[in-house]
Coordinates of all heavy atoms in Angstrom, one line a residue:
D1 N 61.5 169.8 -81.5 CA 62.1 168.5 -81.7 C 61.9 168.0 -83.1 O 62.0 166.9 -83.4 CB 61.3 167.5 -80.7 CG 62.0 166.2 -80.7 OD1 63.2 166.1 -80.8 OD2 61.3 165.2 -80.4
T2 N 61.7 169.0 -84.1 CA 61.6 168.6 -85.5 C 63.0 168.5 -86.1 O 64.0 168.8 -85.5 CB 60.7 169.6 -86.2 OG1 61.4 170.9 -86.2 CG2 59.3 169.7 -85.7
G3 N 63.0 168.2 -87.4 CA 64.3 168.1 -88.1 C 64.9 169.4 -88.4 O 66.0 169.4 -88.9
S4 N 64.3 170.5 -88.1 CA 64.8 171.8 -88.4 C 66.0 172.1 -87.6 O 66.2 171.6 -86.5 CB 63.8 172.9 -88.3 OG 63.5 173.1 -86.9
T5 N 66.9 173.0 -88.0 CA 68.1 173.4 -87.3 C 67.8 174.4 -86.2 O 68.5 174.6 -85.3 CB 69.2 173.9 -88.2 OG1 68.7 175.0 -89.0 CG2 69.7 172.8 -89.2
A6 N 66.7 175.2 -86.4 CA 66.3 176.2 -85.4 C 65.7 175.6 -84.2 O 64.7 174.8 -84.3 CB 65.4 177.2 -86.1
S7 N 66.2 175.9 -83.1 CA 65.6 175.5 -81.8 C 65.7 176.6 -80.8 O 66.8 177.1 -80.6 CB 66.3 174.2 -81.3 OG 65.8 173.8 -80.1
E8 N 64.6 176.9 -80.2 CA 64.6 178.0 -79.2 C 64.1 177.5 -77.9 O 63.3 176.6 -77.8 CB 63.7 179.1 -79.7 CG 64.1 179.7 -81.1 CD 64.2 181.2 -81.0 OE1 64.1 181.8 -80.0 OE2 64.5 181.7 -82.1
E9 N 64.7 178.1 -76.9 CA 64.3 177.6 -75.5 C 64.0 178.9 -74.7 O 64.7 179.8 -74.7 CB 65.5 176.9 -74.9 CG 65.1 176.1 -73.7 CD 66.2 175.2 -73.2 OE1 66.9 174.6 -74.1 OE2 66.4 175.1 -72.0
L10 N 62.9 178.8 -74.0 CA 62.4 179.8 -73.1 C 62.6 179.3 -71.7 O 61.9 178.3 -71.3 CB 61.0 180.2 -73.4 CG 60.3 181.2 -72.4 CD1 61.0 182.5 -72.4 CD2 58.9 181.3 -72.7
K11 N 63.5 179.8 -70.9 CA 63.8 179.3 -69.6 C 63.0 180.1 -68.6 O 63.1 181.3 -68.5 CB 65.3 179.4 -69.3 CG 66.1 178.5 -70.2 CD 67.3 178.0 -69.5 CE 68.0 177.1 -70.4 NZ 68.6 176.0 -69.8
T12 N 62.2 179.4 -67.8 CA 61.4 180.0 -66.8 C 61.1 178.9 -65.7 O 61.0 177.8 -66.1 CB 60.1 180.7 -67.3 OG1 59.5 181.3 -66.2 CG2 59.2 179.7 -68.0
A13 N 61.0 179.3 -64.5 CA 60.8 178.4 -63.5 C 59.3 177.8 -63.4 O 59.1 176.7 -63.0 CB 61.2 179.0 -62.1
K14 N 58.4 178.6 -63.9 CA 57.0 178.3 -63.7 C 56.1 178.6 -64.9 O 56.4 179.6 -65.6 CB 56.4 179.0 -62.5 CG 57.1 178.7 -61.2 CD 56.5 179.5 -60.1 CE 57.3 179.3 -58.8 NZ 56.8 180.0 -57.7
L15 N 55.1 177.8 -65.1 CA 54.1 178.1 -66.1 C 53.4 179.4 -65.9 O 52.9 180.0 -66.8 CB 53.2 176.9 -66.3 CG 53.6 175.8 -67.1 CD1 52.5 174.7 -67.2 CD2 54.1 176.2 -68.5
T16 N 53.3 179.7 -64.6 CA 52.6 181.0 -64.3 C 53.3 182.2 -64.9 O 52.7 183.1 -65.4 CB 52.5 181.2 -62.8 OG1 53.8 181.1 -62.2 CG2 51.5 180.3 -62.1
E17 N 54.7 182.1 -65.0 CA 55.5 183.2 -65.6 C 55.3 183.2 -67.1 O 55.2 184.2 -67.7 CB 57.0 183.0 -65.3 CG 57.3 183.2 -63.8 CD 58.7 182.9 -63.5 OE1 59.5 182.5 -64.4 OE2 59.1 183.0 -62.3
V18 N 55.2 182.0 -67.7 CA 54.9 181.9 -69.1 C 53.5 182.5 -69.5 O 53.4 183.3 -70.4 CB 55.0 180.4 -69.7 CG1 54.6 180.3 -71.1 CG2 56.4 179.9 -69.4
A19 N 52.5 182.1 -68.7 CA 51.2 182.7 -68.8 C 51.2 184.2 -68.8 O 50.5 184.9 -69.6 CB 50.2 182.1 -67.8
E20 N 51.9 184.7 -67.8 CA 52.0 186.2 -67.7 C 52.7 186.8 -68.9 O 52.2 187.8 -69.4 CB 52.9 186.5 -66.4 CG 52.6 187.8 -65.8 CD 53.3 187.9 -64.5 OE1 52.9 187.2 -63.5 OE2 54.3 188.7 -64.4
L21 N 53.7 186.2 -69.4 CA 54.4 186.7 -70.6 C 53.4 186.7 -71.8 O 53.5 187.6 -72.7 CB 55.6 185.9 -70.9 CG 56.8 186.0 -70.0 CD1 57.9 185.0 -70.3 CD2 57.4 187.4 -70.2
L22 N 52.6 185.7 -71.9 CA 51.6 185.5 -73.0 C 50.3 186.4 -72.8 O 49.5 186.5 -73.7 CB 51.3 184.1 -73.2 CG 52.4 183.2 -73.6 CD1 51.9 181.7 -73.6 CD2 52.9 183.6 -75.0
G23 N 50.2 186.9 -71.6 CA 48.9 187.7 -71.3 C 47.7 186.8 -71.2 O 46.6 187.2 -71.6
T24 N 47.9 185.6 -70.6 CA 46.7 184.7 -70.3 C 46.8 184.2 -68.9 O 47.8 184.5 -68.2 CB 46.7 183.6 -71.3 OG1 45.5 182.9 -71.2 CG2 47.9 182.6 -71.2
S25 N 45.8 183.5 -68.5 CA 45.9 182.9 -67.1 C 46.6 181.6 -67.1 O 46.7 180.9 -68.2 CB 44.4 182.7 -66.6 OG 43.8 181.6 -67.3
Y26 N 47.1 181.2 -66.0 CA 47.8 179.9 -65.8 C 46.8 178.8 -66.1 O 47.2 177.8 -66.8 CB 48.3 179.8 -64.4 CG 48.7 178.4 -64.1 CD1 49.9 177.8 -64.5 CD2 47.8 177.6 -63.3 CE1 50.2 176.5 -64.3 CE2 48.2 176.2 -63.0 CZ 49.4 175.7 -63.5 OH 49.7 174.4 -63.3
R27 N 45.6 178.9 -65.7 CA 44.6 177.9 -65.8 C 44.3 177.7 -67.3 O 44.3 176.5 -67.8 CB 43.3 178.4 -65.2 CG 42.3 177.3 -65.0 CD 41.1 177.9 -64.2 NE 40.9 177.2 -63.0 CZ 40.0 177.5 -62.1 NH1 39.3 178.6 -62.2 NH2 39.9 176.8 -61.0

């Protein structure tokens, strides 16, 4: 949400999936 022109979006249904992608726990 900054003034930069680059904006990336990671679409996933759950934070558990994001945690898995990052190699960490949901908690």
Side-chain angles (χ1 to χ4, degrees):
D1 190 29
T2 62
S4 70
T5 57
S7 177
E8 302 233 3
E9 193 170 321
L10 172 66
K11 295 214 179 216
T12 182
K14 301 178 181 181
L15 278 180
T16 52
E17 293 174 3
V18 175
E20 205 171 290
L21 288 169
L22 294 173
T24 192
S25 70
Y26 165 77
R27 194 178 238 174

